[in-house]
Amino acid sequence: FAPAGNLLKREPPEFLASAFTEFGKWMDGWETRRKRIPGHDWCIIQLGVPGTIHGFDVDTSFFTGNYAPAASIQAACLDETPALALEGDRTGMAASEEQFEDLESERWEFLVPINELKPGHASSCHNYFPVTLSRRVTHLRLNMYPDGGIARLRVYGVGQRDWSSIRLRELVDLVALTNGGVCVGYSNAHFGHPRNMIGLGRAANMGDGWETARRLDRPWVLETDSQGILQVPGFEWAVFRLGHPGVISQIEIDTNHFKGNFPDSCKVEVCSLTAEEEEQCCMSRWSSGPAGGWRILLPPQKLKPHNRHFYSTDALWNCGAVSHVRLFIAPDGGVSRLRLWGQLATASSGGHLKPASKLTAENALSNV
């Protein structure tokens, strides 16, 4: 009735009472036919960002008399496996046994054993399953028992890259979600979460970036300094853990789509933290700060609307190997993307081991 690709839509599910297709009722999710043969239904999902998984949300929204009664989830790491995508939305179709005969997905490790699901009413549609898994995952197998509908699958975790494949002195976006970057703290996310800044590609619109509320401590009459930077008492901030400690040599701050609501200026600070120190800072909402203090990487810079701003070694202060960064914007506004290019930290550069990954930013791996 409805293709499995709907499981990965970024938008919340919707219901159109009068919508029908040649195959039956149109549903905004994955719905299989009423099974009349042995077995159960399943689909394979390639994660948008390979990484470690911390939890799932199996959402049955609007599937009330036709939801899947139970589900389980299996996982595998298939870095060497070619793409498995089947073309088209495949409504009214099913994959043949030959298309998956070499995959042996039924043998994959179970992350979520068989669990009953709740119907898709607003009060019961979200079925949450916490997971503790330290190894990297690239593919999932979602099983429904025996048939029915599931609207969305959300996979929460932290991206993880195979760092052994990086060449010596190769520049890498150290904060990218795909490389394991995580937002671990922020001051305000009224219109958009700062984790959006480390997502894939350029932002699709303002909603695909970080945007704060307007600060109420703004002066009624604004003034600037000799560099044209507004003199305001307040600012907003976001803290990120790098996917791997490194030496940052290039920064990109993109205000794409933010035309009348871009920040006036920005600043970037850095530090090095262990996992225990990060946890203490998170518990204090970063009010106590790191033991060694923050160091300025990029001094205050005037920003422009709807523009990509690039800063290289000429503008950056040499801070050596770091594990965390803090972006300041003043007084408020929106930034669509943050890129921090650098080289991986080594023993000679003063780097230390990467803190143990933990879910502090609810990064969704399945719908990136």
Side-chain angles (χ1 to χ4, degrees):
F1 292 107
N6 288 341
L7 291 168
L8 309 185
K9 285 184 178 179
R10 298 188 65 173
E11 309 81 26
E14 61 177 336
F15 182 76
L16 304 177
S18 59
F20 288 84
T21 74
E22 61 177 303
F23 302 103
K25 179 71 180 71
W26 180 88
M27 293 295 290
D28 190 13
W30 172 38
E31 184 180 6
T32 70
R33 68 178 66 193
R34 301 189 188 211
K35 205 162 189 65
R36 299 295 183 257
I37 58 176
H40 64 84
D41 290 324
W42 53 272
C43 70
I44 291 177
I45 295 167
Q46 181 176 354
L47 295 180
V49 179
T52 56
I53 295 175
H54 293 256
F56 297 96
D57 175 15
V58 180
D59 183 353
T60 58
S61 289
F62 303 114
F63 288 98
T64 54
N66 53 347
Y67 69 100
S72 70
I73 301 175
Q74 297 167 267
C77 186
L78 306 177
D79 283 320
E80 304 302 323
T81 300
L84 303 172
L86 303 176
E87 295 182 359
D89 71 9
R90 304 187 62 78
T91 303
M93 302 174 67
S96 66
E97 293 184 6
E98 290 75 16
Q99 288 172 311
F100 294 100
E101 62 181 3
D102 296 329
L103 202 56
E104 298 183 341
S105 59
E106 69 279 359
R107 300 185 182 181
W108 293 357
E109 177 184 0
F110 277 89
L111 301 188
V112 177
I114 298 177
N115 274 265
E116 291 187 4
L117 299 180
K118 299 184 290 292
H121 304 292
S123 60
S124 62
C125 61
H126 293 287
N127 299 267
Y128 295 108
F129 301 103
V131 172
T132 301
L133 182 70
S134 59
R135 67 179 183 85
R136 185 169 177 266
V137 168
T138 63
H139 290 73
L140 299 173
R141 171 170 157 145
L142 173 62
N143 303 291
M144 64 165 68
Y145 301 95
D147 53 37
I150 297 172
R152 296 288 188 271
L153 176 67
R154 295 292 182 244
V155 186
Y156 297 98
V158 177
Q160 189 176 94
R161 183 167 183 173
D162 179 7
W163 295 109
S164 64
S165 64
I166 303 301
R167 299 187 302 273
L168 182 65
R169 297 180 181 176
E170 179 180 349
L171 286 181
V172 181
D173 184 359
L174 297 169
V175 77
L177 184 149
T178 54
N179 292 334
V182 178
C183 178
V184 292
Y186 59 90
S187 61
N188 187 288
H190 188 83
F191 294 111
H193 200 286
R195 65 168 169 258
N196 293 338
M197 290 190 291
I198 61 175
L200 298 177
R202 297 194 75 193
N205 49 50
M206 285 197 306
D208 191 20
W210 174 38
E211 184 180 3
T212 73
R214 301 191 191 208
R215 291 190 64 90
L216 299 180
D217 58 0
R218 304 187 313 280
W220 290 7
V221 179
L222 299 173
E223 297 180 355
T224 62
D225 63 10
S226 59
Q227 295 180 314
I229 296 178
L230 288 179
Q231 299 301 285
V232 291
F235 54 82
E236 305 295 354
W237 54 268
V239 178
F240 296 88
R241 181 208 308 147
L242 303 182
H244 191 290
V247 180
I248 300 170
S249 58
Q250 297 179 17
I251 296 177
E252 176 187 347
I253 296 177
D254 189 357
T255 57
N256 190 28
H257 303 298
F258 292 100
K259 301 176 181 179
N261 51 351
F262 63 100
D264 176 70
S265 63
C266 71
K267 180 177 70 171
V268 178
E269 294 182 343
V270 295
C271 70
S272 293
L273 296 174
T274 64
E276 293 73 20
E277 290 170 336
E278 179 194 284
E279 184 174 1
Q280 293 174 2
C281 289
C282 288
M283 292 180 62
S284 69
R285 295 186 55 82
W286 296 90
S287 60
S288 59
W294 291 96
R295 307 190 300 278
I296 295 177
L297 177 67
L298 178 69
Q301 304 288 323
K302 185 78 172 179
L303 295 177
K304 298 178 182 179
H306 191 53
N307 187 69
R308 298 174 79 178
H309 307 77
F310 296 94
Y311 308 98
S312 61
T313 51
D314 293 337
L316 304 184
W317 294 16
N318 184 10
C319 293
V322 300
S323 64
H324 290 68
V325 299
R326 178 165 63 174
L327 171 65
F328 289 92
I329 58 173
D332 49 42
V335 175
S336 63
R337 289 293 184 268
L338 171 67
R339 305 297 187 204
L340 301 173
W341 298 91
Q343 299 176 15
L344 301 188
T346 61
S348 60
S349 64
H352 55 75
L353 294 177
K354 173 186 174 185
S357 293
K358 58 181 179 180
L359 187 65
T360 54
E362 301 175 354
N363 287 340
L365 302 186
S366 62
N367 64 332
V368 175

